[in-house]
Amino acid sequence: MKPKTKIQKEVAELMKLPCVHCLTDKEAQYGYHHCFDRIAFMRSGGKEAICSECGTRFKVDNKTAKTLRCPHCGAVIKKQKEHRSVLRTKAYYVVPAAVGRFQVLRWFLVDTYKKALQPAQYDYFEVAQIWFAPDGKQVIAERKRGSFYWIDSWSYNSSLEIRNRAESVLKTIVPYAVYNRGGISPELKRRGVTSNFHDMAPIDIVAFLLENPNAATLWKAGRYDVVSNFLSRNKPIGEVWPALKICLRHGYDIKDVSLWCDMVSNLQYLVKDLRNPHYVCPENLEAAHDKYQQLADKKRYREDMEKRRNEDTKWDNKYKAMKKPYFGLLISDGEISMKVLQSVEDFYLEGEAMHHCVYKMGYYKKPEVLILSATIAGKRIETVEVSLKSFKVVQSRAVCNGNSEYHKRIIELVNQNMNQIRKCAKKAA
């Protein structure tokens, strides 16, 4: 692709420099030794081993050891359990480089061929480069790829050219190793970055640090765990930055970053002061998290119920129209009194007082159901559901869906007065 923008033209000129295309022996050897395991091909029931690096055979004195040291080349090698003679693997390797004002990540596809009794063979092939400007803008130069699902289908005969970032597959590739002495651009050095990316994907962390000054502050403070957490979360770091500054100022060690972030989210929802160390620097993080989670859940529940009550206002007229013939119904034995719930508001109050689902499950929307509230001296005892099809008591529930001491008496009282309900049903028809 021909460079079009100003930054692409600048990168294209810098790509002509020889230093952008060479790889030193030290850089290559680092990739070979950190991308692949050095193994021992075991023979003679574990009595002999063949070093995969130099290809020599030697006797094994300690059969229980998981690793061996080759007496010829000195390499520490891992025992290969299964019987095999050939091993060929590939891995991606990243070498950072500083070119002008840009931070460059050079991507190499490293290949190894190991065969028993032969020295290991290594090779590398540079497949892509990502150029980061100080403001976080990216320019990607890649070789051509075949139109296959295979991610390693690079064209070895093509050249590194600037291509459309949307077409890059580097976002989906996790490198096995990153060179720990690569060049770092002045902008990243100012943000506290060395060649150690602390097991984070270099393509992600470089962009994250250049685009987020707050993340750079945490990086310089050595809070790599916090940066890693926000790198993998959709939540912007700026939303909890006031709380993070308080933690840094007071030297608070966030032992579980994910748990702490969830706690701060609940504190925000509860409109608590995120600049108060009492809230954001708790001695017991887990206990504080659970406490504010419960408070937030209660608030959400109240808001959801209020929202639902507003939405269900339209059902009030429908319910009154359906059940109007039953509103004058009163069932009593002198102590227990039962009457039909008269509105959607009554369903809500009944459900809140009795802690059951008569409102949540929308019983006021069911035309074939009649709900009565049983009380003694004005105190709710049980809620009764009567089927207007079979004219039988479907259920009668006390607090928390239990049974009160008047349970059987309430059901018998409803059954004794079922004819009154039938008469009301005829009027409704």
Side-chain angles (χ1 to χ4, degrees):
M1 177 180 125
K2 185 178 179 180
K4 297 178 181 179
T5 64
K6 183 178 179 181
I7 188 174
Q8 288 178 350
K9 292 177 181 179
E10 185 181 358
V11 169
E13 288 298 319
L14 291 173
M15 285 182 64
K16 298 177 182 179
L17 298 175
C19 64
V20 181
H21 300 283
C22 64
L23 190 70
T24 65
D25 290 340
K26 191 173 182 179
E27 292 170 340
Q29 290 298 323
Y30 185 92
Y32 298 156
H33 295 160
H34 287 80
C35 288
F36 310 106
D37 288 333
R38 298 179 177 186
I39 63 171
F41 299 107
M42 304 306 296
R43 297 292 185 269
S44 303
K47 296 180 181 179
E48 290 185 341
I50 301 174
C51 176
S52 64
E53 298 305 304
C54 62
T56 57
R57 186 194 298 265
F58 60 93
K59 292 184 179 181
V60 178
D61 297 328
N62 187 356
K63 294 184 179 181
T64 60
K66 295 182 179 180
T67 60
L68 304 171
R69 182 177 291 276
C70 177
H72 299 277
C73 66
V76 177
I77 50 182
K78 296 181 180 180
K79 289 183 178 180
Q80 191 76 13
K81 292 183 179 179
E82 64 269 20
H83 184 86
R84 62 194 305 177
S85 299
V86 178
L87 182 65
R88 183 165 190 171
T89 53
K90 293 182 178 181
Y92 283 93
Y93 171 50
V94 172
V95 177
V99 183
R101 67 189 186 100
F102 291 91
Q103 175 63 54
V104 186
L105 297 179
R106 303 176 63 193
W107 289 70
F108 294 87
L109 183 60
V110 186
D111 183 26
T112 178
Y113 178 79
K114 298 180 179 181
K115 186 176 181 179
L117 301 177
Q118 292 184 10
Q121 299 177 24
Y122 294 98
D123 196 10
Y124 66 85
F125 175 63
E126 188 170 13
V127 297
Q129 294 177 353
I130 306 180
W131 295 66
F132 292 90
D135 58 359
K137 291 182 179 179
Q138 301 177 23
V139 177
I140 294 181
E142 293 179 340
R143 297 188 189 272
K144 290 182 179 179
R145 294 181 66 253
S147 56
F148 309 107
Y149 290 107
W150 187 33
I151 204 168
D152 299 334
S153 59
W154 302 97
S155 174
Y156 286 72
N157 296 324
S158 64
S159 59
L160 282 170
E161 295 181 6
I162 295 174
R163 305 186 189 278
N164 189 351
R165 181 171 179 255
E167 299 174 358
S168 176
V169 298
L170 299 181
K171 277 282 187 179
T172 61
I173 299 175
V174 178
Y176 274 68
V178 179
Y179 186 54
N180 64 356
R181 293 186 179 180
I184 300 298
S185 69
E187 183 62 28
L188 280 178
K189 285 182 179 179
R190 191 175 67 84
R191 295 171 185 255
V193 180
T194 61
S195 296
N196 188 354
F197 294 106
H198 299 276
D199 298 325
M200 289 176 246
I203 187 174
D204 294 328
I205 191 58
V206 170
F208 191 61
L209 292 175
L210 289 174
E211 295 170 359
N212 296 272
N214 295 337
T217 302
L218 291 171
W219 190 274
K220 286 189 285 187
R223 298 313 310 265
Y224 309 115
D225 54 339
V226 181
V227 176
S228 176
N229 182 273
F230 279 95
L231 185 62
S232 59
R233 292 167 68 98
N234 293 326
K235 190 179 181 66
I237 195 170
E239 292 186 9
V240 296
W241 184 240
L244 281 172
K245 286 196 296 184
I246 296 299
C247 292
L248 292 175
R249 189 178 303 164
H250 288 78
Y252 180 71
D253 182 21
I254 306 175
K255 296 181 179 180
D256 190 326
V257 180
S258 296
L259 200 68
W260 182 86
C261 289
D262 291 340
M263 182 194 74
V264 172
S265 295
N266 287 324
L267 289 172
Q268 286 178 314
Y269 180 67
L270 295 168
V271 198
K272 301 295 184 181
D273 184 8
L274 298 186
R275 292 175 173 82
N276 189 336
H278 170 74
Y279 292 116
V280 300
C281 303
E283 292 183 5
N284 189 328
L285 177 59
E286 187 173 347
H289 170 273
D290 294 344
K291 173 186 175 181
Y292 297 122
Q293 183 68 54
Q294 292 176 3
L295 292 174
D297 288 343
K298 289 180 180 179
K299 183 178 179 181
R300 291 187 185 97
Y301 174 77
R302 290 194 299 269
E303 290 178 348
D304 290 343
M305 294 303 293
E306 188 64 28
K307 181 179 178 181
R308 179 172 175 179
R309 288 178 67 187
N310 294 333
E311 292 176 352
D312 287 341
T313 301
K314 61 182 181 181
W315 275 97
D316 195 60
N317 293 332
K318 292 182 180 179
Y319 174 76
K320 290 177 179 178
M322 285 190 297
K323 300 299 189 291
K324 186 177 180 180
Y326 302 92
F327 286 169
L329 181 65
L330 179 62
I331 299 175
S332 177
D333 63 356
E335 183 181 10
I336 300 174
S337 297
M338 281 180 276
K339 65 177 182 178
V340 177
L341 297 181
Q342 311 262 318
S343 64
V344 174
E345 180 70 13
D346 286 349
F347 277 84
Y348 173 76
L349 295 175
E350 186 81 7
E352 287 293 296
M354 303 297 284
H355 301 288
H356 54 46
C357 61
V358 69
Y359 173 73
K360 295 178 185 176
M361 298 304 295
Y363 277 83
Y364 51 86
K365 298 179 181 179
K366 302 177 180 181
E368 71 282 0
V369 169
L370 187 68
I371 303 297
L372 302 98
S373 179
T375 62
I376 295 179
K379 180 181 178 181
R380 292 182 175 89
I381 304 300
E382 288 193 11
T383 306
V384 186
E385 177 188 351
V386 177
S387 171
L388 296 178
K389 287 185 175 181
S390 62
F391 292 97
K392 293 182 179 180
V393 176
V394 178
Q395 59 181 332
S396 183
R397 303 294 181 187
V399 176
C400 298
N401 289 313
N403 292 334
S404 69
E405 58 180 306
Y406 305 96
H407 181 69
K408 292 184 179 179
R409 185 175 162 186
I410 289 172
I411 294 176
E412 290 176 359
L413 184 59
V414 174
N415 288 330
Q416 291 171 4
N417 291 271
M418 195 62 73
N419 285 333
Q420 294 188 47
I421 298 176
R422 292 178 185 271
K423 290 179 182 179
C424 294
K426 290 181 179 179
K427 293 180 182 179

